[in-house]
Amino acid sequence: QVRLQESGPGRVKPSRTLALTCTGSGGSSTTGRDYWSWNRQPAVKWVEWMGAITYSGSTYYSPSLKSRTSISRDTSKNQFTLQLRSVTPEDTAVYYCAQSTRLIPIATRTGFGSWGQGTQVTVSS
C-alpha cells in the first residue's frame, strides 16, 4: 500500500496561487490504472473532491473548481501537484491527496486505497 504525504505552505494570501505536492512512497503506480486525487475539507464541512490525475497524465476536475485548478505529476519523483489559483478565504481547508484504482469524483472518503494525513491551508492576508 502506497503511503502519501502532502506538503506545501500553511498560509496563502488571497488572490495568490496555492501549490501543494503529494509524494508517494512504499508502493508503485506504473500501470496507468491508478488515479491520484486531491480532496479538501473545510472546517465543519464535508470533504470535497477537487480533481485527479492518472499515471499517464489524464486529468479530471470538479466542475466547480475546474477554472482555477491544475493537477500535474512527476512520475520520476512519484509526486503529483495541485495548483489552485486566485484563492479566497473560502479555500481555507485541510487538503488531502489520495490514491484509488478507479475515478471517484464525489464527496467521499471511501473507495480509496491510500489517503494522506492532510495539510492545513489557511487563506488570509
Side-chain angles (χ1 to χ4, degrees):
Q1 184 179 14
V2 65
R3 294 182 296 275
L4 302 175
Q5 179 65 57
E6 305 88 349
S7 60
R11 187 177 298 274
V12 183
K13 293 183 177 181
S15 79
R16 300 290 179 89
T17 296
L18 165 65
L20 297 175
T21 298
C22 180
T23 302
S25 61
S28 65
S29 176
T30 59
T31 66
R33 291 197 296 267
D34 283 2
Y35 295 82
W36 305 87
S37 300
W38 284 101
N39 302 269
R40 66 181 182 178
Q41 187 167 13
V44 301
K45 292 184 179 180
W46 188 235
V47 67
E48 177 185 20
W49 179 78
M50 302 180 69
I53 190 168
T54 65
Y55 183 86
S56 60
S58 297
T59 52
Y60 307 83
Y61 296 108
S62 167
S64 64
L65 295 170
K66 184 176 183 178
S67 64
R68 298 196 292 131
T69 306
S70 296
I71 299 175
S72 59
R73 87 277 186 260
D74 185 338
T75 56
S76 66
K77 298 180 179 179
N78 222 19
Q79 292 180 332
F80 63 112
T81 62
L82 169 73
Q83 288 193 329
L84 183 64
R85 296 176 289 276
S86 303
V87 297
T88 71
E90 286 67 39
D91 293 311
T92 295
V94 179
Y95 285 74
Y96 299 91
C97 58
Q99 172 270 335
S100 60
T101 56
R102 60 185 178 91
L103 185 64
I104 307 175
I106 59 174
T108 182
R109 284 181 169 268
T110 61
F112 293 92
S114 300
W115 196 274
Q117 291 184 325
T119 185
Q120 173 69 48
V121 175
T122 300
V123 180
S124 70
S125 55

